[in-house]
Amino acid sequence: MQFVRSSVHHASRCAARLTPQSALKKLAPCPAPAYQAARIMSTKVGVAPPGKAGDTIFGKIIRKEIPAKIFYEDDVCLAFHDIAPTAPVHFLVIPKIRIAQLSTAKEDGGPDVKNILGHVLMVAAELGSKLSPNGFRYVINDGKDGLQTVYHLHVHVIGGKTLSWPPGV
């Protein structure tokens, strides 16, 4: 079964079927014809991870080889606006060292990986609070099924409006 983000109308019909009792049970997807045949998540699907040596677009942004709207940078990470924003506030925070996925961070990041990840999240929180003071969401896609398309860890910070729930289902 292939899952997609369907229309708001369909999502509200599915949510209307939930009762407090049914919400406690394992949630099943809405029945088939409700799901569309193609995956619709900003028209992207996850991709398999490249080899360890594979460079990414984020590596090129870090080295300033390609333009990006960078608005924060320190020794550990940088933040820049997403090229396809899904909300009025949508930016990415990335570590300067390449960590392919959060799930492989221990192998990719070396002995300082916990400090690096903590720093990236703290910067995301600080910038998110400034740019979207009423609240925001952190998103970290991990792996093919998590719809990760760039294998350089990145935290999406999305806000500036009331966000819907569930995200990306």
Side-chain angles (χ1 to χ4, degrees), residues 33-58:
Y35 282 94
Q36 300 165 0
R39 184 183 302 253
I40 305 171
M41 292 261 187
S42 66
T43 68
K44 294 183 179 179
V45 297
V47 295
K52 285 248 183 219
D55 194 15
T56 70
I57 190 170
F58 294 161

Side-chain angles (χ1 to χ4, degrees), residues 129-144:
S129 295
K130 287 180 181 175
L131 296 175
S132 186
N134 291 328
F136 50 92
R137 178 175 293 152
Y138 306 97
V139 176
I140 300 173
N141 299 324
D142 195 308
K144 183 177 178 182

Side-chain angles (χ1 to χ4, degrees), residues 4 24 64-65 75-76 86 96 109 129 140 142 146 154 164:
V4 297
L24 296 175
K64 313 292 193 287
E65 294 173 3
D75 292 342
V76 178
T86 60
K96 287 188 172 179
S129 295
I140 300 173
D142 195 308
H154 52 288
S164 62

Side-chain angles (χ1 to χ4, degrees), residues 10 12 26-27 31 42 52 65 74 80 112 116-117 134 142 149 155 159 163 165-166:
H10 173 69
S12 64
K26 184 177 178 183
L27 295 177
S42 66
K52 285 248 183 219
E65 294 173 3
D74 63 24
F80 54 93
D112 292 332
I116 293 167
L117 293 175
N134 291 328
D142 195 308
T149 57
V155 179
L163 302 172
W165 192 261

Side-chain angles (χ1 to χ4, degrees), residues 1-164:
M1 174 179 282
Q2 190 172 16
F3 287 70
V4 297
R5 181 165 65 185
S6 58
S7 69
V8 173
H9 173 72
H10 173 69
S12 64
R13 286 188 305 135
C14 292
R17 291 186 223 147
L18 291 177
T19 64
Q21 295 78 23
S22 68
L24 296 175
K25 297 177 184 175
K26 184 177 178 183
L27 295 177
C30 293
Y35 282 94
Q36 300 165 0
R39 184 183 302 253
I40 305 171
M41 292 261 187
S42 66
T43 68
K44 294 183 179 179
V45 297
V47 295
K52 285 248 183 219
D55 194 15
T56 70
I57 190 170
F58 294 161
K60 293 175 183 176
I61 289 172
I62 292 165
R63 294 187 303 270
K64 313 292 193 287
E65 294 173 3
I66 60 173
K69 293 180 182 177
I70 298 171
F71 65 95
Y72 176 88
E73 183 170 9
D74 63 24
D75 292 342
V76 178
C77 67
L78 58 85
F80 54 93
H81 294 282
D82 195 290
I83 61 169
T86 60
V89 173
H90 187 169
F91 62 90
L92 306 176
V93 181
I94 63 172
K96 287 188 172 179
I97 67 161
R98 182 166 179 250
I99 299 171
Q101 299 172 244
L102 185 57
S103 62
T104 63
K106 190 172 181 178
E107 296 86 32
D108 294 344
D112 292 332
V113 71
K114 288 182 182 178
N115 291 331
I116 293 167
L117 293 175
H119 182 81
V120 166
L121 287 175
M122 293 304 294
V123 167
E126 181 181 333
L127 297 174
S129 295
K130 287 180 181 175
L131 296 175
S132 186
N134 291 328
F136 50 92
R137 178 175 293 152
Y138 306 97
V139 176
I140 300 173
N141 299 324
D142 195 308
K144 183 177 178 182
D145 287 348
L147 295 180
Q148 186 172 2
T149 57
V150 179
Y151 281 82
H152 184 124
L153 178 76
H154 52 288
V155 179
H156 292 263
V157 180
I158 303 167
K161 69 174 191 173
T162 300
L163 302 172
S164 62

